[in-house]
Amino acid sequence: MAEKEATVYIVDVGLSMGAIHNGRDVSDLDYAMTYVWDKITSTVALDRKTATLGVVGLRTDGSPVIISALCDLIDAVVDTENELQGEESFDHISVLQEISNILLPDLKQLRSKIVLSGTDNGDAISAIVIAIQMITKYCKKLKYKRKIVLVTDGRGPLDADPDSVKEITNKIKQDNMELVIVGVDFDDAEYGFKEEDKSPQKVWASNEAAARNEQTFAELTESCGGIIGTLQQAVDELGMPRLKATRPVPSYKGQLALGNPEEYDSAACIDVERYPRTMVRRPLTASRYVMRQDPADAGTQSTGTFVPDGDIEMPDADGNNLAGVKSSRTYQVLDEEAPGGKKDVDREDLAKGYEYGRTAVHINETDENVTKLETQAGLEIIGFIPWQNYDQYMSMTVSSILIAQKTNSKAIMALSSLIHALFELESYAVARLVPKADKPPVIVLLAPSIEVDYECLLDVQIPFTEDVRPYKFPPLDRVVTISGKVIKEHRNLPNEALTSAMSKYVDQMDLSTFGRDEDGNPSEYMPMTETFSPVLHRIDQAVRWRAVHPTEPVPPPYEILVRYSNPPEEIVNQSKRRLEKLIAAADVKKVPPKVQGRRRNRNEVKPLSGLNVEALLGGDKKKAKVSAQNAIPDFKRLLDSADSIEAIRDAAHQLGNIIEARIKDSFGNIAYPRALEEIKTLREEMMEIEEPEVFNIFAKQLKRKLLSEELGGNRKDFWWEYRKSKLGLIDNKVAAASDATEEDAKSFWALS
């Protein structure tokens, strides 16, 4: 179970927070709220009931809020209730949000409450007392991670009575609370920030009455083991993505067996547990919602299907106007007698069928167990292989970690022996894993891992024979002719000059030692711990910002997310000369620009010389034909030479006749794939030259002839193949020049 948290944020909204300092274009309050909102929205995004927070306003215009609310804490901080009620230091402090789970409506209400006040009165020490009381009252004696965060500019008065501060410090230590003070323009020598011309009320003075400043805050945090820092550093670190802590969930608990314990007494069995070591973290997903409508006022229907009343309503605590949307699915079967050629059926009436060639093999639910492999949960070692015999490409999944049962000292000793044996022999173990009963077995590779503070086995799934795709590609360093002759020098092979230029360029672009550590020594440029997913954290940043600022534009991505989007400018400049030499050695030339020809929107490549080679050689003036033996190339060549719409239609008519003849003369379905490829080419070419009606006329004619059995009898089997290929009418949504609507394209597939 995740750790329970209770955090109270104390936000200084005093009049002095409305000033603008140090060249910023926003007020100190808005600058401070950048940090506060980020922390609050991060807690909201966790979506955990155990992550709670509250907000206290300091130097507010409101009246005192804690005359009767501090009864539980009086004895711990102040002597008597009467003394507390008589203290003016608790004026101008307001509880803006009690400790609880925060939802989006709460954020909106909180945003309306945190506004600049008209006073500078309000004691920050007293605000800390209120925060302590809120946490004590909420957490009681339960185990919580307790935290107080004070954000202030330090320009307000402080009641730093030594006795009261001591009592506060003792209470913070006693309840194991963490105090964090973030100051607007506080000096921080470690971070390297110092505010010039600091207000006299913030600097340390020898006068005891002036002890209301940064020094007081520093002494307070030091005495209770807290943290104090400047807001500049806190805001700068907001761009650093926060990694989500995940609770380890075992994927397997059982025995690691070496040998069959049921047959051999010498077999070894070790109690182990398996946990994920790496796991892909997915970005936030969006859900679909619609604005709630009063049924009496609803004039239109949503395209989504709503859940019945009682299910679509979101919790009242959300306080929003949204209703959830539920998707529905209908199942249809072909039925020539039904309207539209299809009939709706219930899911319960459907049966599973396994595709076998062009047919489906039906297996009843009662016989479905014949398709399942009955297995028992277990992890069995089936062999060992040397390290050098394993290729990295064979890893099929994310990695997992295998450790001994935590409370079993015998298992810990046995697994440690196996790990060290594998490490000393430089070998991996190959094992058969069934994580749960009746789950399909997988083959995993077990690799030893020995660290300073723990030992384990790392495992990844490796393929079965059927999972491997043994593709063959021509070698890159030689050319092998049909006769088997090996050629080392060829126009498609790099020469020594090109190889040398490329090698030097790669060396110049080396990033392995381009970075610098804290001492200025060369180090890795892109360490894995600093390489974050831009998509994941950008979505998270945008959602958190929009939750608080619904109308303001989302700020640009944090610098750390786009840091590695491009190579370092310094290394690019250093390697510029090497790149120029590489371009010269490779004889890289600019691709000739594409120009618009006379043949409607088709592009032709203009030669660098500017000469028309076909005109010089004297093109064939005879009318070209599309041959059945070479239909697609002839058709494209005819389109390239077409200079009128009549020529385009003639070429399409010729190819259409060939397609129909191919279907008509086909023995069974032998010629169907070739006919479908020619239909696809005709469709794509007509879309490219913006003549969709030429294809639509052909498609309608082809359908009519198929259904009337004019193409060699009953050819409905080709119609189903044609329909599966989705080469129907070109509607105006795909091509603006088409006269066919989207409804026309859908109705085209109906058998009518």
Side-chain angles (χ1 to χ4, degrees), residues 398-543:
V398 297
S399 59
S400 298
I401 184 172
L402 198 70
I403 61 174
Q405 196 177 62
K406 299 176 183 178
T407 58
N408 191 333
S409 58
K410 184 178 179 181
I412 294 173
M413 183 66 68
L415 185 64
S416 177
S417 301
L418 176 60
I419 293 171
H420 281 269
L422 290 173
F423 184 80
E424 292 173 4
L425 295 176
E426 298 184 351
S427 299
Y428 296 136
V430 179
R432 176 183 183 270
L433 171 65
V434 180
K436 293 182 180 179
D438 295 330
K439 290 287 185 180
V442 295
I443 304 297
V444 295
L445 186 83
L446 304 178
S449 177
I450 302 176
E451 303 295 338
V452 177
D453 51 349
Y454 70 94
E455 300 172 348
C456 66
L457 288 173
L458 301 177
D459 76 75
V460 292
Q461 183 180 341
I462 57 178
F464 290 101
T465 300
E466 297 81 3
D467 300 325
V468 179
R469 301 292 185 267
Y471 300 117
K472 290 186 178 180
F473 300 97
L476 299 177
D477 59 344
R478 63 189 182 278
V479 174
V480 181
T481 63
I482 299 177
S483 61
K485 183 180 179 181
V486 178
I487 301 176
K488 294 288 186 178
E489 295 183 2
H490 190 269
R491 59 184 177 85
N492 293 335
L493 297 177
N495 53 33
E496 293 184 3
L498 178 57
T499 303
S500 175
M502 178 61 76
S503 177
K504 293 179 180 178
Y505 176 67
V506 171
D507 293 340
Q508 193 72 41
M509 290 288 291
D510 183 18
L511 296 175
S512 60
T513 58
F514 184 74
R516 291 291 182 270
D517 58 16
E518 297 179 355
D519 300 328
N521 300 320
S523 63
E524 185 180 1
Y525 174 67
M526 291 178 58
M528 187 183 68
T529 54
E530 297 179 7
T531 307
F532 302 95
S533 169
V535 174
L536 190 151
H537 295 290
R538 175 56 176 170
I539 293 177
D540 182 61
Q541 176 194 5
V543 171

Side-chain angles (χ1 to χ4, degrees), residues 350-410:
L350 300 179
K352 285 186 177 181
Y354 293 84
E355 188 175 354
Y356 188 72
R358 296 182 60 205
T359 61
V361 178
H362 168 57
I363 297 180
N364 294 324
E365 291 186 8
T366 56
D367 297 332
E368 243 184 45
N369 60 338
V370 301
T371 64
K372 296 181 179 179
L373 182 65
E374 295 182 1
T375 58
Q376 296 296 326
L379 179 60
E380 305 167 2
I381 295 177
I382 57 180
F384 303 90
I385 60 171
W387 290 354
Q388 62 270 20
N389 289 3
Y390 179 75
D391 296 321
Q392 293 296 326
Y393 69 84
M394 298 179 69
S395 300
M396 296 181 61
T397 60
V398 297
S399 59
S400 298
I401 184 172
L402 198 70
I403 61 174
Q405 196 177 62
K406 299 176 183 178
T407 58
N408 191 333
S409 58
K410 184 178 179 181

